[in-house]
Amino acid sequence: MPVEERHHEEGRSAGTSVPGNAAAIDLDLERTFSHLSSAAAGRGEAKILLNRFVEEHPSVGYTQGMNYVATCLVLRHTREGHCAQEVAYQQFVAIMGHLSGLWSDGLPLLEPAIDCYSKCCRKYLPRLYARLVYLHVEPLAYLPTGWLSLFSKWLPMDCVLLVLDLVAGHGLHALLAVTLAIFHQYQDMMVQMKTMHQVLNFINRDMQLQPIEADKLISSTTMVWLPRVQRTVGREVDAAVREACVPSARETSSSSSPGHRCAVEDVELSASVGSSRSAGSTGLPAGEGEEPSRPPPASTGARAADGEIRSPTANSKPHTPDLVSPMANGTGSSDRHRTVINKQDTADHRTTDGGSSSAKEIESLRAQVADRDETIRSLRAEMRILKQERRDAIEMQMKCVRAKDELQRQLLGEIVDLRYRLNDKDS
């Protein structure tokens, strides 16, 4: 059985049937953003989108959480009461191509995605990471809520609609970057929380009601957090997506952008043409730009051992230029000239490559130094907070000790008064 058909058969056997999917879709859409009238108006479009996806991608099927993604995409592409159904569907397929492992059977992408998030959070948000570890807040307790709904349970709707474009274009990289950008914005608030339940209630319930600037969130994600994620866990993310996502959805999403593929082919073609032209322009035609070398003049005599010049004898042969020799017609000199030019071009090319690689290494080292400096600053800030908390705890302890001493003095005074009263009564 072909690979594609085997994936389809496994999807049918692992997931529910098509009527079961349709019933689940209807049930979930009824309670999706029930407080939004616009979501209720686009419920029919979202249902058509999900049923079409299930029919065309049975290996992925339908899982709860896709209803939020489909509804958000319908709202994203609705203008004046009309929804661009095909655009919304293609973007939904693109998102599923990147992240189908978050919704397919067993959620195979969830665990490696959480590992990548933990590495980035520990490196770039050390204060928040240390606080969550101290309060025993596991990422599995809050990340699925935001990820499976594509942040629609974490952010206001205007932010969610802008985030969808990033996720459709960058997949899991954007998912991690948006998550880190959100937590970075609320980090100061979250590190002040005292219990695990307080943190989880804020992330999964109250954070959606907090005011947040959508433009600021998108700009920080694209300019700061997305490059950091790609630099820190880029290879791990790509490997996890290749291993966890269903091939049919991923191939469909990659084939849905022929313009990008044509652009890449055009760039490769122009690069090959340019390289062939540069390779052909390194040599010079034979003898061009040079004067042909002249043969040495024939000697009219030979110098004897005593320094006198003797006339040539009859047996001596006069020197005649070798017309067959390449030195006579200038080709040997031009060949040497071409060899020198080629060697010089090669040396210049190596020097240029070495300079560019050195510049890249220097830039990479500078980026690493900047990241370490930022980590050090974050750790120092965390140390200041911990010292302040320690001072507050010591001060509270001293207040308790003083209150205890005052209470003891009051009790002793009352005991003394009672004894005096008892003695007075006895007397």
Side-chain angles (χ1 to χ4, degrees), residues 17 35 226 308 334 345 365 418:
S17 60
H35 60 286
L226 189 58
E308 295 181 358
S334 62
D345 291 342
L365 291 175
L418 289 174

Side-chain angles (χ1 to χ4, degrees), residues 117-130:
Y117 158 79
S118 299
K119 290 181 181 179
C120 293
C121 186
R122 182 171 60 250
K123 181 176 182 180
Y124 298 112
L125 300 175
R127 285 198 301 136
L128 178 62
Y129 181 81

Side-chain angles (χ1 to χ4, degrees), residues 15 31-32 69 92-93 104 107 117 143 157 162 165 167 171 250 255 275 309 315 329 338 352 389 415:
R31 53 193 180 188
T32 302
V69 182
F92 185 84
V93 171
S104 57
L107 309 180
Y117 158 79
L143 288 180
M157 184 56 64
L162 295 178
D165 296 334
V167 177
R250 190 169 66 247
S255 63
S275 62
I309 299 177
N315 294 329
N329 54 12
R338 286 199 302 273
T352 305
E389 291 180 354
I415 291 173

Side-chain angles (χ1 to χ4, degrees), residues 284-290 329-331 334-335 338:
L284 292 175
E288 182 178 351
E290 281 191 75
N329 54 12
T331 56
S334 62
D335 289 339
R338 286 199 302 273

Side-chain angles (χ1 to χ4, degrees), residues 299-314:
S299 60
T300 57
R303 186 176 296 274
D306 55 0
E308 295 181 358
I309 299 177
R310 299 176 182 176
S311 60
T313 60

